[in-house]
């Protein structure tokens, strides 16, 4: 039996705490419920701007990592609003945002901002896009941070998910709990694809290993919402390669506070290399399947 074939059992509670929200304890003097309330207020206010300011025809203002990775004027306006409010309310905290320069801080906390997660959906008028606001302690890197609080606000329908480390996850006042599917074959799996053709070719190859083994796949187009759907049991499992910190900050904490394990492959924490989320033995099975498919590599190590 090769190392890849070795059956493993994850301690979901411990692994989830370590990989998702709790890289460490809540720092002294930090009130995570206060941070949750602020994250919610920021995300909802930016969400109102995005909703009410959406023009009839949305234009691409620029592209980023590839020609199909767009930025719109509203991505920038939403992030400017978030940054302006944080400058007033949390002047000592750092900021890591999708659309602007990093702002250094002195408090040890960083706000991780996605002004529109699901920009392509926003561009086309597909209803799954959100404002995502998280606050983390430690380095603003999903492999090393401790996520403290976060909010994902779905712009079109107003669904609002929040979480605070150790304080649970909720949507609009209702506590959230992940599903515990009985089998991988019966699991609905969310995923997403990157913006480069080469990355997509490999992701398509990985999908050929995953799709025959699960109930079905959903590619909804906003990772933050996907992770919140996982938290409320509307998806059973989720995986994606290539997520940025702002894609996973708030949604990842919502998922782990709802009982999910969130991590990477080969014992790593969730990172841009791979993010997997779910609960129960089926998430072990998915991790094992993704490792065998070399989902965090270039495909050369995967069996043909
Ligand atoms: C993207 C969305 C998408 C995911 C991509 C992300 P953006 O974020 O979350 O679902 O598949 O990996 O980059 O670019 O719309 O903020």
């Amino acid at each position: 039996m090769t190392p890849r074939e070795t059956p493993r059992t994850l301690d979901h509670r411990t692994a989830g705490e370590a990989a998702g929200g709790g890289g460490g304890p809540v720092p002294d003097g930090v009130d995570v419920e206060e941070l949750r309330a602020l994250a919610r207020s920021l995300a909802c206010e930016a969400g109102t701007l995005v909703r009410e300011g959406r023009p009839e025809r949305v234009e691409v203002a620029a592209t980023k990592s590839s020609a199909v990775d767009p930025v719109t004027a509203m991505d920038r306006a939403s992030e400017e609003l978030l940054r302006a409010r944080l400058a007033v309310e949390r002047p000592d905290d750092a900021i890591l945002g999708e659309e602007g320069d990093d702002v250094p801080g002195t408090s040890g906390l960083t706000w991780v901002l996605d002004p529109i997660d699901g920009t392509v959906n926003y561009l086309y008028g597909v209803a799954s896009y959100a404002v995502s606001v998280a606050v983390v302690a430690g380095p603003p890197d999903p492999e090393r941070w401790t996520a403290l609080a976060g909010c994902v606000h779905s712009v079109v329908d107003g669904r609002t998910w929040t979480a605070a480390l150790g304080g649970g996850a909720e949507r609009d006042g209702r506590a959230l709990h992940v599903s515990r599917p009985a089998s991988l074959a019966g699991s609905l799996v969310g995923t997403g694809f990157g913006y480069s053709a080469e990355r997509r070719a490999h992701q398509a190859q990985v999908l050929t290993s995953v799709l025959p083994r699960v109930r079905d796949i959903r590619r909804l187009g906003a990772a933050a919402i996907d992770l919140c759907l996982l938290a409320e049991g509307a998806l059973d499992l989720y995986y994606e390669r290539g997520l940025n910190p702002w894609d996973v900050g708030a949604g990842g904490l919502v998922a782990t506070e709802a009982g999910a394990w969130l991590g990477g492959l080969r014992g790593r924490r969730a990172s841009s290399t791979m993010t997997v989320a779910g609960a129960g033995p089926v998430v072990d099975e998915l991790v094992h399947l993704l490792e065998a498919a070399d989902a965090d590599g270039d495909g050369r190590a995967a069996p043909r």
Side-chain angles (χ1 to χ4, degrees), residues 30-274:
V30 169
D31 179 342
V32 290
E33 290 300 339
E34 203 175 281
L35 295 174
R36 182 204 308 239
L38 180 55
R40 181 188 177 93
S41 160
L42 292 167
C44 290
E45 187 177 335
T48 300
L49 174 77
V50 176
R51 187 166 45 251
E52 294 180 355
R54 189 173 191 282
E56 189 73 20
R57 186 184 160 84
V58 179
E59 302 286 350
V60 175
T63 56
K64 293 188 291 187
S65 60
S66 80
V68 291
D69 181 6
V71 183
T72 69
M74 190 56 86
D75 287 271
R76 291 173 176 159
S78 172
E79 185 154 325
E80 274 165 26
L81 181 154
L82 295 169
R83 285 170 180 262
R85 274 204 60 193
L86 285 168
V88 173
E89 307 215 27
R90 302 285 305 186
D92 298 333
D93 296 349
I95 297 176
L96 174 69
E98 182 171 15
E99 309 301 346
D101 294 337
D102 298 354
V103 174
T106 54
S107 67
L109 304 192
T110 301
W111 291 84
V112 182
L113 310 175
D114 195 336
I116 302 179
D117 182 47
T119 299
V120 174
N121 284 346
Y122 172 74
L123 186 63
Y124 280 77
V126 176
S128 190
Y129 51 94
V131 179
S132 173
V133 175
V135 55
V136 305
D141 166 359
E143 273 195 287
R144 295 189 294 151
W145 71 30
T146 300
L148 299 174
C151 177
V152 176
H153 175 71
S154 170
V155 171
V156 174
D157 57 21
R159 283 173 300 166
T160 302
W161 296 267
T162 70
L165 182 60
E170 56 105 44
R171 165 155 75 90
D172 304 319
R174 183 170 65 86
L176 302 179
H177 304 284
V178 287
S179 66
R180 303 236 165 223
S183 67
L184 186 62
S187 295
L188 187 62
V189 182
T191 191
F193 307 117
Y195 288 112
S196 89
E198 192 185 10
R199 169 66 55 81
R200 286 176 173 186
H202 181 45
Q203 286 172 319
Q205 188 189 328
V206 171
L207 201 54
T208 63
S209 299
V210 176
L211 188 52
R213 300 281 307 275
V214 301
R215 178 187 297 275
D216 208 343
I217 290 285
R218 292 292 177 270
R219 196 294 190 245
L220 302 171
I225 294 181
D226 293 342
L227 287 161
C228 293
L229 293 178
L230 179 105
E232 62 182 44
L235 292 173
D236 296 313
L237 291 163
Y238 174 79
Y239 78 94
E240 183 164 352
R241 182 167 188 194
L243 291 183
N244 289 300
W246 41 82
D247 299 318
V248 74
L253 185 62
V254 171
T256 55
E257 284 296 319
W261 177 86
L262 179 86
L265 304 187
R266 305 175 217 290
R268 288 180 65 178
R269 290 184 65 182
S271 72
S272 64
T273 306
M274 180 55 68

